Every structure is written in C-alpha cells, then in structure tokens.
Amino acid sequence: MGHFFVLYIGKHPGCSPSELTKALRVDWGHSQRSVEKLVREGFVIKERPGEGGRAYRLTLTARGQEVFEESQRVFFEWDEQKLSSLSGEERLQLLPLLEKAMYRSAPGEACEGTAKAKKKKF
C-alpha cells in the first residue's frame, strides 16, 4: 500500500491529485495508479468538490485515517529511538539541515514523468 500517499493526504485533506504528485515527486502515471488502488481498497475517497468542478479532491476514509494515525505513531517512535542520543540543542540543529537536504532540488524538477526526463537527455 502507498503509505506515503496516505500520509500526504492525511496531512493535506482535500488535496488534488496534482498537488499530491508534485509533493511526493513521483511521475503522474505512478501517482494515478497508486491513488486508484487506494480508492479501490477503501483507503481514499476521490471526489469532485461540487458541480462543474474539474479537479478531484482526495480525502481519507475511516480505514485510511486509521492507517494514517498508525503510520504517524510508528514514524514518531522511530524518530524518538534514532534521535534519543542527541541533546535538545542538537535536535534543533538537525531539523534545519534535514529540511535543507529535502528541498535542495528545484520544485517540480522531479515531478516530470520519467519518460519525459529520459527524452530530454537525448
């Protein structure tokens, strides 16, 4: 199952498939297949926000919310275990460094489909 998809939707209820794809830096096809699978398996609801609206909005079902909460708990426990040897000051220094590493590449750079990225090389 796509835990990262569930985590993103859980933190950003009502996000669009496009927002999700860009945020997770995956190609559009992979993102859509993953979302459709999560919908079929009862973790995500994909709905239009009103009559005439073109964009879909994604939210978690009760089942998806359970997975979201359990995943949050597991990640929190893992963080606490791995960071337990650091002082409070060291943890405060680490967070900005991790954020810098995560957002170093230009936004949208990794959002292109892999086929497009490969074509550009030739």
Side-chain angles (χ1 to χ4, degrees):
M1 184 199 18
H3 280 90
F4 290 110
F5 290 85
V6 170
L7 286 170
Y8 186 84
I9 296 167
K11 289 182 178 181
H12 304 90
C15 67
S16 71
S18 179
E19 292 169 39
L20 175 68
T21 301
K22 288 177 183 175
L24 296 183
R25 297 179 180 219
V26 296
D27 69 75
W28 182 253
H30 173 71
S31 178
Q32 294 313 295
R33 286 187 302 276
S34 296
V35 167
E36 291 304 322
K37 183 176 181 183
L38 290 169
V39 169
R40 278 192 314 274
E41 293 179 357
F43 294 100
V44 171
I45 298 169
K46 180 180 171 183
E47 60 190 354
R48 294 189 193 272
E51 290 189 35
R54 289 184 47 183
Y56 284 100
R57 296 290 167 207
L58 305 171
T59 55
L60 298 178
T61 63
R63 185 176 182 197
Q65 187 65 34
E66 288 175 20
V67 170
F68 172 72
E69 290 171 7
E70 178 64 15
S71 296
Q72 291 281 82
R73 185 189 62 74
V74 168
F75 283 125
F76 177 78
E77 288 174 3
W78 187 87
D79 286 348
E80 287 300 310
Q81 179 187 20
K82 297 300 176 189
L83 300 177
S84 64
S85 64
L86 298 179
S87 70
E89 184 177 321
E90 290 169 326
R91 286 184 186 203
L92 289 175
Q93 292 172 354
L94 178 62
L95 290 176
L97 294 172
L98 290 173
E99 286 179 8
K100 181 178 180 181
M102 287 178 58
Y103 297 106
R104 180 159 283 191
S105 63
E109 179 182 344
C111 298
E112 295 182 51
T114 54
K116 286 183 184 177
K118 287 179 183 176
K119 285 180 184 178
K120 287 182 180 180
K121 288 183 181 179
F122 297 108

